[in-house]
Amino acid sequence: VLSLCCEACKKVIFHVPSELEADKLVGRVDLKECLQSADFISSSDENFKVLEDGSVYTTSALSLSAEKKTFTILLKDIQEQVEKKIHVDLVEEEKKVRHARDTVLKRTKRRWGPIPSVMIENSLGPFPLQIQQVQSDTAQNYTIYYSASGPGIDQDPKGLFYIERETGNIFATRAVDREQYPSFQIICFATTPDGYSPEVPLVHTIRIEDDNDNAPYFTQDVFEFCVPENSRPGVVVGKVIAEDRDEPYTLHTTLKYRIVSQTPPITPAFSLHGDTGVISVLLPQLDRELVPSYTLLVEVRDMAGQPFGLCTTGTVVIKIEDTNDNAPTFKQLQYETRVEENRMNVEILRISVVDLDEPGSPGSGAVYEIIRGNDDQAFEITTDKNTNEGILCVVKGLDYETAKQRILVIGVNNEAPYLLAPHSQQLSQSTCSVTVHVLDVDEGPVFKPCLLRLDVKECEDIGTAIGRYVAEDPETGNSEGIRYRIPPGQCNWVNIDDKSGEIRTVRVLDRDIGEMRRGQCNVTVLAIDRNGKTGTGTIQVCIVPGNKNFPRITQTDYIMCRDRKPICLTAQDGDEAPYSAPFEYRINDRRLASMWKLTPHDDNSWYLSPKSDIPYGIYEIPVSVIDNGGKIGENIVRVNLCDCVTPSECDGRTRQLAGGNVTLGLWAILAMILGSLLLLLILITICGCCGAGAMHRQVTDDCANHNLIISNTEAPGEEVMDHNIIPLQNTCDQGGYGVKTGEQQTFEMVKGRGHTLESVKGGGHQTLGSVKEGGGQTMMDTCRYSYSEWHNFTHPRLGEKVHLCRQDEEQKHSEDYLLSYNYEGKGSLAGSVGCCSDQHEEEALDFLDQLEPKFRTLAETCVKR
């Protein structure tokens, strides 16, 4: 359905004479100003026609009966769905009185550009039928021959039109179908016999005027719609659509709809809008149970529904959808059934209902419920989806001795809510009664209650009586002749006396034991009567937590520094509430209680702090912790009151770590042994270096005057100066460290203590240089020796050095002997800063005189005065 937006564009006024001839030009309208592309141009007055260029012509002679005549030009763009209107007013022009002196001006009409031609669709002739004439004004002076080409002449459909050569008359040779060819555009030529064209070729339009030769038709053979029953009047059901192949926007395509007939032929239930084809509900009460569907015969007619218009009929089927407007009802109002006592999960009765709603829909699905008589939930009713019946079952065993019959009241509803018709009464629920007769059966003993809960305090003695569990014979109502026993394969916490049913513990019930951590155990008990009938019951043994654990402080060793920040003591108790927190803390020792105080922090923790400025030292404070059940736990809290800023400063003090004894693992012991052996090897090597023969090197006394003084001298203190200490000498020879250069490994004598090998040995003047040079000659160039020379010098004397170290009585000064340093990589390319390497450059310290002020103090400190 094409829906166009119609809008008035503008208004045009033409001044015309009171009498107008046929095919007379009235005026020209600028159509593009209103609508750029118009697919359809028409006039509301059939006496006027509008061409594509906006020219308005009369189609027949007419006279203005009034001073003003109005009509409308309609423009439509089908693709953009836009419709515009131009209002045209024809106003009679004023008649002027012509004076004798006025010059009469006459306009010559050009005949070469006639208005478009119109040919009636399916014209009956006679043929050839003249439809137009074209003439050139130059025919007064020349002999003019006329010709034409284009669709309908020399293009398909060929031979439909032709033009007379001498007169310019255009003829049609046969009828034309507008639906196939709505218009033709031909080109007309005017030429002289010698081929000269005095006129420009003329494009002439031949429009085929529509004839109502096509009847409208429906787009579907059968239209099917659905509408819920009990819909209100005015509810839209659907829309029928018809089309017409004739010219759009004319009476030939103006359609009207109507309902011809309705099946079943009762009160009309629907209405059909004549212009839009919309079908709506007319009858206020559509009942699916009475009429499930309607069939409508509808008609569509063109020419706005006038009797002479062409028409077509179609079929519309409207199905009435079911709604839940009918309540289900029981087929019977009373039912009876029987069941043996103690039977469970058995079907005892099926109940049927009637529902007028559509079968299988939610409006007919039955939902049953037991309204009365099922307080103990012994019965249950469900719905069989296949038959829609109610299935009544017994889910708990019935007792004949308690009730010989049970009366149930059962109601039924639908799955879907009720949707009632307007102004109808409220539906009521259908009910029925069911009488259930209980049949007596010889049955075994019954425990009352079937589940007995017994609470046992934790850690009770074995054999403690915790309760009694007996069964009764339903027939006699007593417990005579009934024996009790506990089947094997259950938790063996309790046993039961076979005659009296008394229950006693057989184990100490402790919640800390693996199988008792849950604190609960269910025990099944059998009761056997004289006839061998049995009954079962269940005992639920629950262990009630007791106060069996002492509270203890988790950490008992602390370090308190000079800030005397309070210590937070936290206790733990393995018991559960109410035998655990909150805890109460007390200091048992009266003397320490006068020095220390305890203040609460929370349920588990208290603060320990000194009351006054007590002296530093280690305090062992006995603290008692009392739990909520009154159980007291004794604890010793060891506090190291230390003169420190941080506790790490007192780590060297002797104190026991929290948590008790500390044991060392295998790897820790092995690491300590290996470390001790490595330390012993280092001490032996040091002693060997200290006890060898003296190595004295001849160095000039002023050597140190021209070199930087070694700043890391570590001579022994005054308290260790005795006859066992080797006297120190300030020499240039300063030990050695290894330097690797290429393939040769050397040692540089830069030991910071200034010891010579000669002083170690106590006699002789053999030096490391003498070993290399073969005498006492000093080595003044670089003071560096190969590793092999150093080894040859030290190895023969290692035993003597060790012997010398052993002569030390307490062996406490071995750490002051000459120490060997590990190899630390390749030495600096600048060489040593020692005196030996710089003796030949005594003037090299002159640069100290030119140092900046901030280095003079350093230079004065380093240079020996």
Side-chain angles (χ1 to χ4, degrees), residues 714-766:
E714 297 177 358
E718 295 178 358
E719 69 277 8
V720 296
M721 294 298 295
D722 55 20
H723 63 278
N724 292 324
I725 301 302
I726 303 173
L728 302 179
Q729 297 181 9
N730 188 9
T731 65
C732 299
D733 189 7
Q734 299 173 353
Y737 66 89
V739 179
K740 246 184 179 180
T741 57
E743 296 298 328
Q744 184 181 8
Q745 185 177 15
T746 63
F747 279 79
E748 182 177 353
M749 310 301 292
V750 293
K751 176 65 179 156
R753 299 230 176 170
H755 298 168
T756 64
L757 298 180
E758 180 182 356
S759 63
V760 174
K761 186 176 181 181
H765 297 280
Q766 187 178 14

Side-chain angles (χ1 to χ4, degrees), residues 631-651:
K631 206 150 197 175
I632 302 175
E634 302 293 342
N635 301 267
I636 300 296
V637 178
R638 184 177 290 102
V639 180
N640 184 359
L641 184 58
C642 180
D643 186 10
C644 60
V645 178
T646 59
S648 60
E649 298 178 10
C650 289
D651 286 347

Side-chain angles (χ1 to χ4, degrees), residues 576-640:
E576 297 181 0
Y579 302 112
S580 57
F583 300 120
E584 182 181 354
Y585 292 69
R586 295 177 184 174
I587 298 177
N588 298 331
D589 189 278
R590 183 175 298 178
R591 183 182 63 84
L592 292 176
S594 63
M595 303 171 63
W596 297 84
K597 65 178 179 179
L598 290 167
T599 55
H601 172 54
D602 54 26
D603 289 347
N604 296 323
S605 305
W606 284 45
Y607 285 120
L608 174 66
S609 59
K611 289 185 176 180
S612 60
D613 190 9
I614 61 178
Y616 294 109
I618 297 178
Y619 295 85
E620 293 186 352
I621 306 170
V623 178
S624 298
V625 182
I626 308 171
D627 62 16
N628 197 35
K631 206 150 197 175
I632 302 175
E634 302 293 342
N635 301 267
I636 300 296
V637 178
R638 184 177 290 102
V639 180
N640 184 359

Side-chain angles (χ1 to χ4, degrees), residues 226-353:
C226 296
V227 63
E229 62 178 332
N230 300 320
S231 295
R232 298 180 181 275
V235 174
V236 175
V237 178
K239 181 178 181 180
V240 294
I241 301 174
E243 295 178 352
D244 197 319
R245 297 180 62 237
D246 289 325
E247 186 174 0
Y249 310 106
T250 63
L251 285 175
H252 300 162
T253 56
T254 302
L255 308 180
K256 286 288 185 180
Y257 302 90
R258 74 183 183 95
I259 297 176
V260 178
S261 64
Q262 172 184 293
T263 303
I266 56 176
T267 304
F270 304 96
S271 63
L272 177 61
H273 194 281
D275 295 330
T276 61
V278 174
I279 301 175
S280 304
V281 175
L282 182 62
L283 188 66
Q285 293 180 344
L286 294 176
D287 193 349
R288 188 202 66 85
E289 287 72 34
L290 296 178
V291 182
S293 66
Y294 293 84
T295 301
L296 305 179
L297 181 65
V298 296
E299 177 192 84
V300 60
R301 186 181 295 270
D302 61 13
M303 299 301 292
Q306 299 183 32
F308 54 83
L310 303 178
C311 66
T312 302
T313 59
T315 302
V316 178
V317 177
I318 302 176
K319 295 182 179 180
I320 308 302
E321 293 181 344
D322 181 51
T323 58
N324 191 19
D325 59 343
N326 295 281
T329 58
F330 288 101
K331 292 183 179 181
Q332 295 178 224
L333 297 180
Q334 292 182 350
Y335 294 87
E336 288 190 9
T337 185
R338 290 175 173 80
V339 63
E340 294 179 352
E341 64 174 335
N342 300 324
R343 292 288 302 275
M344 292 187 299
N345 299 320
V346 292
E347 177 184 333
I348 61 175
L349 182 65
R350 280 182 174 258
I351 305 173
S352 300
V353 295

Side-chain angles (χ1 to χ4, degrees), residues 53 167 287 336 381 392 404 653 721 751 842 851:
D53 60 351
T167 64
D287 193 349
E336 288 190 9
I381 188 167
L392 181 63
K404 295 180 175 57
R653 306 289 179 89
M721 294 298 295
K751 176 65 179 156
E842 296 180 0
L851 292 177

Side-chain angles (χ1 to χ4, degrees), residues 296-571:
L296 305 179
L297 181 65
V298 296
E299 177 192 84
V300 60
R301 186 181 295 270
D302 61 13
M303 299 301 292
Q306 299 183 32
F308 54 83
L310 303 178
C311 66
T312 302
T313 59
T315 302
V316 178
V317 177
I318 302 176
K319 295 182 179 180
I320 308 302
E321 293 181 344
D322 181 51
T323 58
N324 191 19
D325 59 343
N326 295 281
T329 58
F330 288 101
K331 292 183 179 181
Q332 295 178 224
L333 297 180
Q334 292 182 350
Y335 294 87
E336 288 190 9
T337 185
R338 290 175 173 80
V339 63
E340 294 179 352
E341 64 174 335
N342 300 324
R343 292 288 302 275
M344 292 187 299
N345 299 320
V346 292
E347 177 184 333
I348 61 175
L349 182 65
R350 280 182 174 258
I351 305 173
S352 300
V353 295
V354 176
D355 197 320
L356 298 178
D357 291 319
E358 185 176 1
S361 66
S364 65
V367 178
Y368 300 89
E369 61 176 339
I370 302 176
I371 299 176
R372 289 194 304 273
N374 191 31
D375 296 337
D376 57 352
Q377 304 297 316
F379 298 92
E380 183 181 82
I381 188 167
T382 58
T383 303
D384 188 336
K385 297 298 182 180
N386 297 324
T387 62
N388 209 29
E389 293 177 327
I391 304 174
L392 181 63
C393 298
V394 177
V395 294
K396 291 183 179 179
L398 303 178
D399 188 5
Y400 174 83
E401 288 72 26
T402 303
K404 295 180 175 57
Q405 71 176 16
R406 300 283 294 272
I407 299 177
L408 307 177
V409 178
I410 299 176
V412 64
N413 289 305
N414 287 132
E415 297 176 4
Y418 295 116
L419 296 177
L420 304 180
H423 310 293
S424 62
Q425 296 181 354
Q426 185 70 27
L427 298 178
S428 59
Q429 185 183 29
S430 177
T431 61
C432 71
S433 64
V434 177
T435 302
V436 180
H437 299 281
V438 182
L439 303 180
D440 186 21
V441 176
D442 186 14
E443 52 191 340
V446 177
F447 283 98
K448 291 183 179 180
C450 60
L451 175 64
L452 177 64
R453 176 187 172 97
L454 297 177
D455 294 333
V456 186
K457 286 187 178 181
E458 192 174 10
C459 298
E460 288 282 359
D461 295 334
I462 298 176
T464 302
I466 61 175
R468 189 166 179 265
Y469 196 31
V470 295
E472 295 179 355
D473 190 340
E475 310 296 335
T476 62
N478 55 53
S479 303
E480 294 181 1
I482 298 178
R483 301 282 183 174
Y484 305 94
R485 69 182 182 90
I486 297 176
Q490 305 183 70
C491 60
N492 56 343
W493 293 6
V494 296
N495 62 5
I496 186 169
D497 186 83
D498 62 343
K499 294 180 180 180
S500 64
E502 187 178 38
I503 302 169
R504 295 178 178 273
T505 60
V506 296
R507 297 177 61 185
V508 176
L509 304 184
D510 189 350
R511 293 170 62 92
D512 294 336
I513 300 177
E515 63 179 277
M516 300 183 185
R517 291 188 185 277
R518 292 177 54 192
Q520 177 180 315
C521 176
N522 293 338
V523 180
T524 301
V525 181
L526 297 180
I528 307 170
D529 61 9
R530 294 187 180 94
N531 299 326
K533 296 285 187 178
T534 62
T536 59
T538 303
I539 300 174
Q540 187 178 69
V541 182
C542 298
I543 303 175
V544 179
N547 194 12
K548 63 176 182 177
N549 294 299
F550 294 94
R552 63 181 183 86
I553 298 176
T554 57
Q555 181 178 348
T556 58
D557 286 292
Y558 296 94
I559 297 176
M560 179 179 289
C561 289
R562 65 183 63 164
D563 58 357
R564 301 176 185 266
K565 184 177 180 181
I567 297 171
C568 185
L569 302 179
T570 302

